[in-house]
Amino acid sequence: MSAPGPVPDPRVEILDADAADFSVAVRAEAAGSGTAYEVEVAYRGDEPTDAAVRLVVELAAPDASVLIPGAFYGENRPAANDRVFPRFELGATSPEQHAAMVSDEWHVRADRAATCAVFCWAGPGLPGAALVTDETGELGEQAIGFAVRDGRASLAVTAPAREYPVSYYGDAAPRPAEVRLHRFAPGETVRIRVRVVPLTSDRHDYDRVLRELHAASRERYPQNPWTDAAEAAEIAAEGLVRWHYDPDPGVLLETIGFDREVSGRDGKSVDRQAMHVGWVSGIPWATALLRHGIRTGDERATDAARRVIDFCTAELSPSGTFWGTWYRGRGWSQSWTRIPNGLHARTLGEATDFLLRAIALDDRPRWREAARSNLDAIVGRQRADGALGLIHDATTGEVLSWEGTAALAWVPALVAARDWDERYLPAAERAGAYYADAVHAEYLHGAPEDVDLAPTSEDGYVAVMAYAALYRVTREERWLDLARRAAEWTFTFRYSYDVAFDPLTPLGVYGFRTRGADQASSSNQHVHAYGLICTDELIELSEWTGDDWYRIRAEEAFACFRQLLPRRDGELGAYRGMITERYYQTECFQPKGMILTLSHAWSAGVLLHAAEDMMDGDAGVGEAAAR
């Protein structure tokens, strides 16, 4: 690893106006491991003019690699990805490529980034630099971006915000690029503040910078949880039982509308009459409900949880694993994948992992048989190199895709059931070793069913849980190092600041604070709570390493999502226990400041899971299952 190299001072560009009418003064001072710049721009013209200001840091970069935390990861979108969202590609400058959201230059609103920074490494074994700013400045909302051409990389901050070449709104249709200008009055002076931080050649050096920035800004962004852990658990459990649980046939419906009078075009309820076996519904959240019901003596919760797990384990696919999704009127079917008859490894692995946790609480023969069938099936399909496969044929068991890293979700289950079969732990270790290269390459992808092979925060959670499970039982340092690196990569998606909302938007009215929330992915740009799934593992990671960083960030996530919890019917335009999955912190899917007015089973379930972890004074269920 080479030491950080020298980084030039930022240059100032005036956009859409005559630069000769402006004067610039730059002040610099040491700030942490970098340099803080205050750039003063004064307008000397005689008449008002509309303009924007861009600060640019340029590097020699023969093989550049770029990171915008939460928003851009290298190429970002694989070329053949099913879901269309921004992709970086050298030489992509044509209007046709831009219309397909492919470009060698991207500028994005700063609120799309979990930390308002753009990182660039010049190439393998070469150092780089990070350009850091705030979401807003004296000219309002700002943008961050990069361009890579002719062996050089330019990192940029633009004020006011300007996107390029298009604006992404969550679907395959690019929107015209958002372009803002500030009207400068004669004699007006504004200041733009940035920080430039040199990077070592280690592509993981972003972790050092993110820790430094977090420490410097933490006091600026105090958190505001509405409840303690016990009340959060009660609210979430009530939401699952009262709204998502349907005893006919014994399912947790995936989504429930806040407004109980609204219906779809067919006149029926907007509630989604479906249940995944894992991921957005199913066994994981039934297990959290079972754990809560046992702890509190709530028979309604335990009865509902057992019914759901019974239903999920009653019918397996012909291949021996769970099915992917149940639909009312159709029964069990495949996962959300374009591949016919395909079942998604992450969903099945997560369901099996949490089924084993349920068995640790209430060991039932049918549950144990279902778990063993799943584990035997996946071990039988493992390649000699350790790969477990992403998409599996529901009938034949043939692995239809080996892409991505989502199959790490099987590792905790294989570890937890290691005493059942001597093949299980070696299979988990082979898988952990196979996917380790992806952790070191800083590119985990493919975990959620709905974004194909995009890099996502959920890929981070899956990897943290997998490598923590391996270290928990083997105490091998290689697994601890991988768990640590996976957690630190995951934190690139975790907001380190509070986004500024218009005071009349729902998130503005309620004072929602984003620090601790995770960007779902660079494809699904909204914050969500799924990171609570590995709360216990992050706390264990701090205990194992003596580094409080993982615990701090876990506690921040738990505090964040104890906001906006309806404690009584009517609050937030919802009913007690209804919890959304989407908080719109940027212009994507919906206007910034809105929330999705659907309650999701996983949103209630993952909060309940984390609350139970936080109230458990000793080991969490993950550790209990491993024992």
Side-chain angles (χ1 to χ4, degrees):
M1 179 181 70
S2 67
V7 180
D9 294 336
R11 70 171 187 266
V12 181
E13 299 177 355
I14 304 299
L15 306 181
D16 293 346
D18 188 346
D21 290 335
F22 293 80
S23 63
V24 174
V26 179
R27 284 186 286 274
E29 63 179 16
S33 61
T35 303
Y37 295 88
E38 181 181 86
V39 178
E40 187 175 272
V41 178
Y43 176 53
R44 304 305 185 194
D46 296 328
E47 299 294 333
T49 192
D50 294 333
V53 181
R54 175 167 289 168
L55 276 56
V56 179
V57 171
E58 190 169 303
L59 307 170
D63 188 10
S65 177
V66 175
L67 166 68
I68 297 178
F72 231 100
Y73 292 78
E75 68 175 353
N76 206 41
R77 166 165 59 96
N81 202 67
D82 204 29
R83 178 81 172 268
V84 176
F85 60 99
R87 168 176 166 79
F88 166 70
E89 187 176 298
L90 284 173
T93 59
S94 72
E96 293 77 17
Q97 289 170 309
H98 292 171
M101 284 190 265
V102 181
S103 180
D104 62 2
E105 178 177 3
W106 285 95
H107 300 269
V108 301
R109 298 166 54 100
D111 56 18
R112 296 187 191 272
T115 296
C116 300
V118 53
F119 295 76
C120 180
W121 287 265
L126 298 175
L131 180 61
V132 183
T133 191
D134 290 320
E135 181 213 351
T136 61
E138 291 187 11
L139 297 183
E141 292 178 325
Q142 304 188 128
I144 53 179
F146 64 89
V148 182
R149 296 187 183 115
D150 302 322
R152 301 193 68 80
S154 299
L155 313 183
V157 169
T158 308
R162 171 178 299 217
E163 298 202 303
Y164 180 88
V166 297
S167 287
Y168 175 60
Y169 205 68
D171 56 35
R175 305 310 196 263
E178 179 180 1
V179 175
R180 298 188 185 185
L181 295 168
H182 175 72
R183 175 150 292 185
F184 283 87
E188 182 179 0
T189 299
V190 299
R191 283 155 293 275
I192 300 170
R193 297 173 178 86
V194 300
R195 183 186 298 192
V196 177
V197 183
L199 301 173
T200 72
S201 60
D202 182 0
R203 286 277 313 285
H204 201 71
D205 198 32
Y206 61 77
D207 176 61
R208 170 183 62 87
V209 179
L210 294 182
R211 289 176 186 241
E212 184 178 298
L213 296 173
H214 180 274
S217 66
R218 192 177 178 190
E219 291 187 3
R220 288 173 57 191
Y221 303 111
Q223 295 193 277
N224 185 35
W226 291 12
T227 71
D228 61 15
E231 186 179 8
E234 291 170 4
I235 292 169
E238 181 171 335
L240 287 172
V241 174
R242 182 181 176 191
W243 299 113
H244 290 276
Y245 174 59
D246 188 337
D248 179 21
V251 295
L252 291 177
L253 295 178
E254 291 179 356
T255 64
I256 299 292
F258 281 13
D259 190 328
R260 305 312 297 156
E261 294 297 316
V262 172
S263 60
R265 292 180 181 178
D266 59 0
K268 297 181 179 179
S269 167
V270 297
D271 303 343
R272 187 189 298 164
Q273 301 296 310
M275 176 183 72
H276 273 67
V277 73
W279 185 39
V280 293
S281 190
I283 291 174
W285 319 126
T287 299
L289 190 60
L290 178 64
R291 182 182 179 190
H292 173 79
I294 291 172
R295 180 181 64 82
T296 61
D298 184 343
E299 292 185 2
R300 285 202 317 151
T302 54
D303 288 349
R306 291 184 177 111
R307 282 285 300 277
V308 171
I309 300 173
D310 281 345
F311 183 72
C312 290
T313 56
E315 181 184 344
L316 302 183
S317 74
S319 70
T321 68
F322 290 121
W323 285 101
T325 314
W326 169 88
Y327 298 95
R328 194 178 299 280
R330 289 164 48 193
W332 286 104
S333 185
Q334 69 172 76
S335 299
W336 289 350
T337 170
R338 70 184 187 281
I339 300 176
N341 214 36
L343 299 175
H344 198 283
R346 182 277 185 93
T347 304
L348 305 187
E350 190 173 271
T352 307
D353 173 15
F354 278 81
L355 177 58
L356 286 158
R357 300 178 190 225
I359 290 168
L361 298 167
D362 186 2
D363 193 346
R364 297 191 166 205
R366 182 196 290 176
W367 298 2
R368 184 174 282 256
E369 290 167 10
R372 184 181 291 277
S373 179
N374 274 272
L375 294 169
D376 286 346
I378 201 66
V379 168
R381 301 171 196 169
Q382 187 174 35
R383 269 190 342 209
D385 62 4
L388 292 172
L390 175 65
I391 304 296
H392 300 247
D393 189 283
T395 302
T396 67
E398 178 188 358
V399 177
L400 305 175
S401 170
W402 295 94
E403 300 297 320
T405 58
L408 276 169
W410 283 104
V411 168
L414 289 164
V415 171
R418 66 194 180 280
D419 292 337
W420 294 10
D421 190 307
E422 63 182 8
R423 299 173 299 159
Y424 292 169
L425 181 57
E429 293 181 299
R430 287 194 300 273
Y434 175 78
Y435 294 108
D437 286 347
V439 179
H440 287 287
E442 309 289 344
Y443 196 78
L444 302 168
H445 62 132
E449 294 182 11
D450 58 348
V451 295
D452 198 18
L453 291 172
T456 76
S457 58
E458 294 176 49
D459 290 281
Y461 317 146
V462 167
V464 169
M465 295 167 73
Y467 290 114
L470 285 167
Y471 179 74
R472 193 182 291 124
V473 301
T474 68
R475 286 303 196 260
E476 291 185 23
E477 288 297 317
R478 59 172 173 159
W479 305 132
L480 180 61
D481 180 64
L482 287 161
R484 174 188 63 79
R485 291 181 69 97
E488 290 159 2
W489 185 84
T490 301
F491 294 157
T492 65
F493 291 89
R494 189 152 294 178
Y495 271 68
S496 58
Y497 66 97
D498 291 334
V499 170
F501 295 107
D502 184 292
L504 295 183
T505 61
L507 294 181
V509 166
Y510 291 104
F512 183 73
R513 301 179 187 181
T514 53
R515 184 162 71 86
D518 288 349
Q519 177 92 293
S521 67
S522 53
S523 176
N524 282 354
Q525 293 182 9
H526 62 82
V527 293
H528 73 167
Y530 215 111
L532 296 175
I533 195 171
C534 56
T535 297
D536 201 36
E537 287 81 359
L538 291 175
I539 291 172
E540 285 182 296
L541 197 51
S542 279
E543 293 170 353
W544 295 333
T545 62
D547 183 349
D548 247 7
W549 176 238
Y550 314 103
R551 178 190 59 78
I552 289 168
R553 303 248 61 193
E555 290 177 348
E556 286 179 354
F558 185 54
C560 178
F561 291 105
R562 283 179 285 143
Q563 300 176 95
L564 269 63
L565 293 184
R567 293 163 291 189
R568 56 188 63 85
D569 291 353
E571 287 188 352
L572 306 171
Y575 292 77
R576 176 177 164 90
M578 291 183 172
I579 304 174
T580 186
E581 75 154 9
R582 290 186 175 187
Y583 310 78
Y584 298 110
Q585 87 292 357
T586 189
E587 294 285 327
C588 191
F589 299 107
Q590 298 287 348
K592 177 180 178 178
M594 290 183 67
I595 63 171
L596 179 64
T597 54
L598 292 173
S599 179
H600 282 63
W602 77 257
S603 301
V606 79
L607 177 63
L608 179 58
H609 169 70
E612 293 296 327
D613 277 351
M614 286 296 195
M615 288 186 290
D616 188 340
D618 191 12
V621 169
E623 187 166 338
R627 287 200 295 264

